[in-house]
Amino acid sequence: MKIAVGLVHYPILDRHKKIVATNVTNLDVHDIARASRVYGISKYYIIHPMADQRTFVARMLDHWRVGDGSQFNPMRKTALTMVDTKESLEAAIDDWNRIEGRTDRPLVVSTHARALDGVPMISFRDMRAKIEASRAKEGSTDRMFLIFGTGFGLTEEFMRGCDLLLEPVRGAPPDDYRHLSVRSAVSIILDRLCGAW
Amino acid sequence: MKIAVGLVHYPILDRHKKIVATNVTNLDVHDIARASRVYGISKYYIIHPMADQRTFVARMLDHWRVGDGSQFNPMRKTALTMVDTKESLEAAIDDWNRIEGRTDRPLVVSTHARALDGVPMISFRDMRAKIEASRAKEGSTDRMFLIFGTGFGLTEEFMRGCDLLLEPVRGAPPDDYRHLSVRSAVSIILDRLCGAW
């Protein structure tokens, strides 16, 4: 199974539950690209509706992929090869389809810190088993688009448009604190789904 | 088993294998504190020999723990309660001992992206089993100090002073890319050792 990761910056909730577009964070690009590379992710899309935010990311990618940064740190260049920016999830799916020569829709799996009524939830064990079964199958064409929110999380409406919701990463007892950074959440979730240990 | 996390900024290798002190990175404080809170870590020590770097961290902690930041984002305050700065690993162990009323030395476990001759390596499964066995034992007083390097990693001499080296986090075939950010590495390793799923 091929996997793409999407980091969504709109529609996102802020601390007051208002719908906003968040700014792209430099280390979200780097840390998530490096984790994606470690776990064999095919594409990492930074999804933002505003052109100036996508331009900011494109300039950073240029610096590390072809500019001075590519000489300074070639390992960073390697990690950033699969990163791209798109204005929406639909545009990202279209781009991935174009690259893969496909016209169908990948399985779209959202992540969230809490369960949500109305979206079927899949456990880490079941999702990992699904990925392993697909990879063991000769000629499998299965694909998954794994979605992460920024800010205070994806809107319920956005998540209801996804096929599945992945089980939340629980915190340790007794207080069940779940406020991981998105960089940590992506790393942990990719390791649970694709890590070898 | 109680666990402390240490993020070491000296002695660290740079890209040319020279021994340097790295600067503290803002998001290393936040992301690792949040992950530590999620996984029930007792203390998170930011270890740096230079007083001005420790002062920088102390000011940031003040902002979020008692200043404007504590009103703006109380969840961040919660995560940062267990963070402290010390000038060396030994000073951090002394501080943890003082808090716990102990005089013995915790098990000191280093992490690294590669194996290293001369330091016994422990697998994630064995380390997790050790933690679970200790936690299941009534009145256990076991403690572990888990060490992470910054920059291009801890020096061999430093790692040889630790009791154990934790198995590296491997990358996906075929290229076995292992250049995770330290923020990602801490998150993944704490999840493997203490995560519930």
Side-chain angles (χ1 to χ4, degrees):
Chain A
M1 181 186 284
K2 289 190 177 175
I3 303 174
V5 163
L7 185 67
V8 173
H9 293 78
Y10 176 87
I12 290 296
L13 298 176
D14 74 0
R15 72 188 63 249
H16 307 297
K17 310 264 179 194
K18 276 186 14 193
I19 297 174
V20 296
T22 53
N23 282 338
V24 175
T25 300
N26 184 19
L27 284 181
D28 287 353
V29 180
H30 287 288
D31 285 12
I32 295 174
R34 292 162 74 181
S36 294
R37 180 79 189 186
V38 166
Y39 294 104
I41 300 305
S42 301
K43 286 293 287 181
Y44 166 31
Y45 289 103
I46 292 161
I47 296 171
H48 205 300
M50 294 176 197
D52 65 341
Q53 286 283 307
R54 296 198 304 276
T55 303
F56 161 75
V57 176
R59 283 196 187 135
M60 189 200 311
L61 293 174
D62 273 354
H63 170 76
W64 291 104
R65 294 199 292 211
V66 299
D68 292 346
S70 66
Q71 304 293 321
F72 182 71
N73 190 340
M75 279 303 171
R76 202 56 71 86
K77 179 179 167 181
T78 306
L80 293 172
T81 47
M82 99 292 272
V83 186
D84 218 332
T85 61
K86 287 294 159 197
E87 66 272 25
S88 64
L89 172 60
E90 294 311 314
I93 291 173
D94 287 349
D95 186 71
W96 197 25
N97 275 354
R98 184 188 54 72
I99 293 167
E100 300 275 331
R102 301 274 290 258
T103 53
D104 56 335
R105 193 177 167 82
L107 183 72
V108 178
V109 180
S110 180
T111 61
H112 195 52
R114 307 276 160 192
L116 174 67
D117 287 345
V119 189
M121 185 138 83
I122 186 166
S123 70
F124 283 104
R125 287 186 192 280
D126 286 351
M127 192 71 237
R128 186 177 172 108
K130 212 177 167 78
I131 293 168
E132 286 177 352
S134 158
R135 289 183 172 168
K137 198 171 61 188
E138 187 95 27
S140 161
T141 58
D142 299 335
R143 291 181 304 155
M144 171 170 66
F145 207 121
L146 189 60
I147 306 290
F148 295 87
T150 54
F152 282 65
L154 298 160
T155 63
E156 293 192 1
E157 190 188 355
F158 185 96
M159 288 187 277
R160 291 209 169 88
C162 298
D163 302 311
L164 290 171
L165 185 66
L166 192 62
E167 174 190 4
V169 175
R170 289 202 301 280
D175 56 356
D176 194 20
Y177 181 93
R178 297 189 191 184
H179 300 266
L180 286 170
S181 74
V182 71
R183 298 168 289 284
S184 292
V186 173
S187 306
I188 291 163
I189 289 171
L190 292 185
D191 187 62
R192 288 187 178 190
L193 297 181
C194 309
W197 66 292
Chain B
M1 182 186 283
K2 287 190 178 177
I3 303 175
V5 164
L7 184 67
V8 172
H9 293 78
Y10 175 88
I12 290 296
L13 298 176
D14 74 1
R15 70 189 64 248
H16 307 297
K17 309 264 178 200
K18 275 188 12 196
I19 297 174
V20 296
T22 54
N23 282 338
V24 174
T25 300
N26 184 18
L27 284 181
D28 286 353
V29 181
H30 286 289
D31 285 13
I32 295 174
R34 292 161 74 181
S36 293
R37 180 76 190 189
V38 166
Y39 293 105
I41 300 306
S42 301
K43 286 292 287 181
Y44 165 32
Y45 289 102
I46 293 162
I47 296 170
H48 204 300
M50 294 175 197
D52 65 341
Q53 286 284 307
R54 297 199 304 276
T55 303
F56 161 75
V57 177
R59 282 197 188 135
M60 189 200 309
L61 293 175
D62 272 355
H63 170 76
W64 291 105
R65 295 199 291 211
V66 299
D68 292 347
S70 66
Q71 304 294 318
F72 182 72
N73 190 340
M75 279 302 173
R76 201 57 72 87
K77 178 180 167 181
T78 306
L80 293 172
T81 47
M82 99 291 274
V83 187
D84 218 331
T85 61
K86 286 294 159 197
E87 66 272 23
S88 65
L89 173 59
E90 293 312 313
I93 291 173
D94 287 349
D95 186 70
W96 197 26
N97 274 355
R98 184 187 53 73
I99 293 167
E100 299 275 331
R102 302 275 290 257
T103 53
D104 57 334
R105 192 176 167 83
L107 183 72
V108 178
V109 180
S110 181
T111 62
H112 194 51
R114 308 275 160 195
L116 174 67
D117 287 345
V119 189
M121 185 138 84
I122 186 165
S123 70
F124 284 105
R125 287 187 191 281
D126 286 352
M127 192 72 237
R128 186 178 172 106
K130 214 176 167 76
I131 293 168
E132 287 177 352
S134 157
R135 289 182 174 171
K137 200 169 60 186
E138 186 94 25
S140 161
T141 57
D142 298 335
R143 291 181 303 154
M144 170 170 66
F145 207 120
L146 189 60
I147 306 289
F148 295 87
T150 53
F152 282 66
L154 298 159
T155 63
E156 292 193 2
E157 190 187 355
F158 185 95
M159 287 188 278
R160 290 208 171 88
C162 297
D163 302 311
L164 290 171
L165 184 66
L166 192 61
E167 173 191 4
V169 174
R170 290 201 300 281
D175 57 356
D176 194 20
Y177 181 94
R178 297 190 192 184
H179 300 267
L180 286 170
S181 75
V182 71
R183 298 167 289 284
S184 292
V186 173
S187 305
I188 291 163
I189 289 171
L190 292 185
D191 188 60
R192 286 186 179 192
L193 296 182
C194 309
W197 66 290

